[in-house]
Amino acid sequence: MSWPVFRVALRGRLPMTGSVAFGLVAVLLATGALFPAVGHSFGKLSLPSGVARLLGGADYANPTGWFRSEIASIYGPLLMAAVTVTAAATTTAGEEESRILALVLAHPVPRSRLVASKAAAMTALAFTVAVAAWVGLISGVALAGGGIGVLRMGAFSLQLAFFGLAIGAIALAVGAGNGRRSLAVGVAVGVAVGGWLINGFATLVPAISWSRFVSPFYYYARHDPLTRGVDVRGLATLGALSVVLVAVGIAAFQRRDLRA
């Protein structure tokens, strides 16, 4: 890995990541403060099972269900994916489209180390958001009256980080292999949204129930870390997917003719 490339990539995305982290903490605080007033009155919504899965169970009667439905099912993954996908696409395909990548490669930095350094910067950004989610959850749950252990909140934050890495690695692989930022973002976002829909509805259609196993969202949410803690197999699957995609991106980047 090249530390100068890592620092430059990290520095360029820190302002956005800091804003996302601050906003996530603020939302978690507001969510926790609202629970004593409105959470118990909502109870468990009567919805079709597929829709309920999309909303994290739609159970608002307790702090675990409240935070799972309000944050863990949509908002948290959305923000995490936004950070990692933007970082991955901007620092590979984005630099190539801006015609500055050739200048970077004019320095003695092998292409493989360049991509690996940018992947490492994306990882650091993902864990920055994950730590913010953990801090925000601890404070928000305290405002809600407690009910979720600190370790389980940490398990959720860890699952969130690995989900973001998997989605970001898709953008990095596509961007490194194609050089088009819009395509990298589009493919990664398509996989994230498609995976979210599949995770909610595949169990309702037996013919496509197998499809949930190819969804990154399934390995993020299936274990319900706010209730059960860390899902080792889910983390291993998302981590392995991230490593494989980064390796694919490195291999494609090394073989391709770059735009000047």
Side-chain angles (χ1 to χ4, degrees):
M1 188 177 75
S2 170
W3 287 107
V5 173
F6 171 80
R7 288 194 296 268
V8 170
L10 190 64
R11 190 183 306 123
R13 306 311 307 170
L14 271 180
M16 173 195 170
T17 304
S19 298
V20 169
F22 179 81
L24 182 57
V25 170
V27 169
L28 284 165
L29 289 172
T31 301
L34 281 173
F35 177 75
V38 300
H40 294 294
S41 62
F42 281 3
K44 184 174 178 62
L45 301 183
S46 179
L47 297 171
S49 59
V51 178
R53 281 181 64 86
L54 291 176
L55 298 177
D59 182 6
Y60 298 93
N62 56 77
T64 302
W66 175 259
F67 279 97
R68 185 195 307 120
S69 297
E70 290 293 317
I71 300 298
S73 60
I74 301 176
Y75 191 75
L78 175 65
L79 289 181
M80 178 62 77
V83 168
T84 57
V85 169
T86 302
T90 300
T91 59
T92 51
E95 289 184 355
E96 187 174 352
E97 288 183 345
S98 301
R99 301 295 196 269
I100 64 173
L101 191 57
L103 180 62
V104 175
L105 288 171
H107 297 274
V109 181
R111 290 189 180 190
S112 59
R113 290 178 61 191
L114 180 78
V115 177
S117 301
K118 293 179 181 297
M122 178 187 71
T123 301
L125 295 173
F127 277 93
T128 298
V129 176
V131 170
W134 191 34
V135 172
L137 266 175
I138 292 172
S139 303
V141 169
L143 290 175
I148 307 176
V150 173
L151 292 180
R152 290 180 180 175
M153 288 185 271
F156 160 73
S157 301
L158 189 61
Q159 299 277 152
L160 185 64
F162 272 71
F163 169 78
L165 291 178
I167 300 302
I170 295 172
L172 187 143
V174 175
N178 185 271
R180 296 183 179 179
R181 177 167 45 185
S182 59
L183 181 63
V185 172
V187 171
V189 170
V191 171
V193 174
W196 177 67
L197 292 171
I198 287 171
N199 188 62
F201 291 118
T203 55
L204 301 180
V205 184
I208 63 168
S209 61
W210 57 269
S211 63
R212 69 187 187 276
F213 297 114
V214 301
S215 164
F217 207 94
Y218 170 76
Y219 297 100
Y220 154 71
R222 65 168 190 157
H223 190 70
D224 186 15
L226 287 177
T227 300
R228 301 178 183 177
V230 173
D231 177 13
V232 176
R233 286 188 296 176
L235 290 180
T237 301
L238 292 173
L241 176 62
S242 303
V243 171
V244 169
L245 287 169
V246 171
V248 168
I250 290 173
F253 193 68
Q254 287 179 312
R255 294 195 304 266
R256 192 164 58 82
D257 290 332
L258 303 178
R259 285 174 282 182

